Each structure stands twice: as structure tokens, then as C-alpha cells.
Amino acid sequence: MSGDADPTRPTLLLVHGAWHGAWCWAKLETELAARGWTSRAVDLPSAVRAAPSAGPLPGVLDDADVIREAIAAIAGPVAVVAHSYGGIPVTQATAGAANVTHLVYLAAYQLDTQENLLSFRGEFEPELVVEEGLVQPTAHLAADLYGDVPEHEAAAAAAQLVPHSARCATEQVTQVGWHSRPSSYIVCDRDRMVPPAQQEKMAARANTTYHLASGHSPFLSVPGELAALLTQIVG
């Protein structure tokens, strides 16, 4: 989505987390456009929207390829905003991307070389349902994802969630964009999905840290506040 954008500003590339899609950024994109920002959102293949065909399920490297292609398709500077799991393929994809000017990790996994989601966070929680290599979007997950989102909006969002490839939890990061690009971390202080204490550990790797008094999905619960904060960070 584009507003009446300033061509000297970077385009914001929005990368969703597990179980989601580009749809989840719609409210934030409207707020960004009102502030004169151009934004684009990607759909990661690891969020499996159709019955998987024969062969391995998509993983971190497949997601990184999609992000890398999206970055290359943007003329001019790009600031990449990664949410939750999306931080892992963003870290991988942005290494060596010449037009990336800033990385923003929104309650996201800012991992380092040879780390993966499970090596950082630990084993899957017992309440997670994994079937045939896919982590299912259960009602328990939705409650943690959307704890501070209005009930009718949370229900609408939960209805759009899709299974996510469990392979993404074990594939390691092999190259790291934030080693050579400025990065910022936004800690969501009321997060029930990625504990704020874990976010603080990853935020220590970023150049700057910011806080939002929100749950895990501020693009739905406080999109105006998030847009204002992103303007402060990348503007």
C-alpha cells in the first residue's frame, strides 16, 4: 500500500510471523500511508495456505528467498520490519542487501549465526499441536497472539491463520544482516507469546531498543501507535 509518499524515505517492507500472511499488516499500512510512507508486505511460504505437495515443507531459507526477492524489487532504500518468527528469515535475507538501510525487530527473533528458534527459545511448548510437520493454529495460540485485540477483530484474525512449517524452528541462520546494518528492537511489554524477558535478551543485540505497551500483535491492537513509533525509528 502506498500513500502520498516522500521519495527520499525508505519503503517499509513488512514481514509477518508464523501462521500469518501479508493480510495482518492492513491496518498498519493504512496508518503508515496517512503519514506519507510507502509500505509493502510479503507472504512467506512457510505459512502453508494450501495442502502441501510432495517434498519437504518450506523453511527459513525458502522464506529468506522470498524476502530477498521483495527487497530487490524495490527501487531505492528499504527498511525491513519483521514480526515474531519473521525476524529469522529477515536476518538471513538482509545480509549483503545493499539497499537495506534499517532492520526493525517487532517482538521478533533477532538471532545470530548458527542459532535457530528452538536453540534460542527451547523445545516446543506442550500445548502446541504439530501434525505432519505443521504447527497448527489452535485457539490457545490465538489467545496468546491477540490478547489485547478487540474480541471481534481477534476472532476475524484467528480465522485467517494457517498451519506453519515446523521445519522453520530447526533451520539455522547462516548469515546475519544486522551485523552490518543498523537495527532497532521493539519490545512488546504485555506479550504473552514471546516473553518480554526473552525479547530484552534479543534487544541487547540491536543498536536501539523501544517499548510498546501492547501484546504480541500491535499492528492490530495499536496500529496508530506502532506507525508513529516506526516513523520515529526510520524517519
Side-chain angles (χ1 to χ4, degrees), residues 115-134:
E115 291 181 339
N116 61 38
L117 191 150
L118 287 187
S119 72
F120 183 86
R121 180 167 178 139
E123 294 301 315
F124 282 131
E125 291 86 345
E127 62 268 15
L128 288 183
V129 177
V130 183
E131 298 173 342
E132 298 182 349
L134 293 171

Side-chain angles (χ1 to χ4, degrees), residues 127 139-147 190-193 215-217:
E127 62 268 15
H140 175 87
L141 274 174
D144 286 345
L145 289 167
Y146 307 131
R190 299 173 183 169
D191 201 326
R192 290 162 48 184
M193 192 74 196
H216 191 63
S217 304

Side-chain angles (χ1 to χ4, degrees), residues 41-122:
V42 297
D43 281 315
L44 299 181
S46 61
V48 180
R49 296 167 183 83
S53 57
L57 289 167
V60 170
L61 299 183
D62 301 290
D63 289 341
D65 285 343
V66 168
I67 296 165
R68 197 176 292 113
E69 289 170 4
I71 292 169
I74 296 172
V78 181
V80 185
V81 180
H83 179 240
S84 196
Y85 157 76
I88 302 175
V90 161
T91 290
Q92 180 78 25
T94 52
N99 60 329
V100 171
T101 60
H102 205 107
L103 305 178
V104 181
Y105 290 85
L106 174 63
Y109 287 94
Q110 187 168 354
L111 302 188
D112 209 338
T113 311
Q114 305 308 313
E115 291 181 339
N116 61 38
L117 191 150
L118 287 187
S119 72
F120 183 86
R121 180 167 178 139

Side-chain angles (χ1 to χ4, degrees), residues 7-231:
T8 66
R9 290 177 168 183
T11 296
L12 276 70
L13 181 66
L14 309 174
V15 181
H16 65 80
W19 307 291
H20 287 74
W23 59 265
C24 73
W25 299 107
K27 290 176 69 176
L28 177 64
E29 288 191 283
T30 298
E31 294 284 351
L32 289 170
R35 291 166 170 79
W37 292 91
T38 297
S39 62
R40 298 184 186 178
V42 297
D43 281 315
L44 299 181
S46 61
V48 180
R49 296 167 183 83
S53 57
L57 289 167
V60 170
L61 299 183
D62 301 290
D63 289 341
D65 285 343
V66 168
I67 296 165
R68 197 176 292 113
E69 289 170 4
I71 292 169
I74 296 172
V78 181
V80 185
V81 180
H83 179 240
S84 196
Y85 157 76
I88 302 175
V90 161
T91 290
Q92 180 78 25
T94 52
N99 60 329
V100 171
T101 60
H102 205 107
L103 305 178
V104 181
Y105 290 85
L106 174 63
Y109 287 94
Q110 187 168 354
L111 302 188
D112 209 338
T113 311
Q114 305 308 313
E115 291 181 339
N116 61 38
L117 191 150
L118 287 187
S119 72
F120 183 86
R121 180 167 178 139
E123 294 301 315
F124 282 131
E125 291 86 345
E127 62 268 15
L128 288 183
V129 177
V130 183
E131 298 173 342
E132 298 182 349
L134 293 171
V135 184
Q136 299 297 324
T138 62
H140 175 87
L141 274 174
D144 286 345
L145 289 167
Y146 307 131
D148 62 342
V149 177
E151 187 174 347
H152 68 286
E153 292 185 41
Q160 297 187 74
L161 298 177
V162 297
H164 198 88
S165 173
R167 179 180 168 193
C168 296
T170 56
E171 282 196 338
Q172 292 184 332
V173 171
T174 62
Q175 53 187 18
V176 179
W178 57 265
H179 281 182
S180 57
R181 297 289 182 275
S183 64
S184 297
Y185 199 102
I186 301 175
V187 177
C188 294
D189 291 327
R190 299 173 183 169
D191 201 326
R192 290 162 48 184
M193 192 74 196
V194 181
Q198 286 192 356
Q199 293 183 48
E200 292 280 7
K201 290 180 182 178
M202 292 181 284
R205 297 171 168 179
N207 298 107
T208 52
T209 301
Y210 301 84
H211 289 260
L212 270 179
S214 77
H216 191 63
S217 304
F219 43 84
L220 293 178
S221 61
V222 288
E225 292 178 34
L226 178 56
L229 182 55
L230 290 172
T231 295

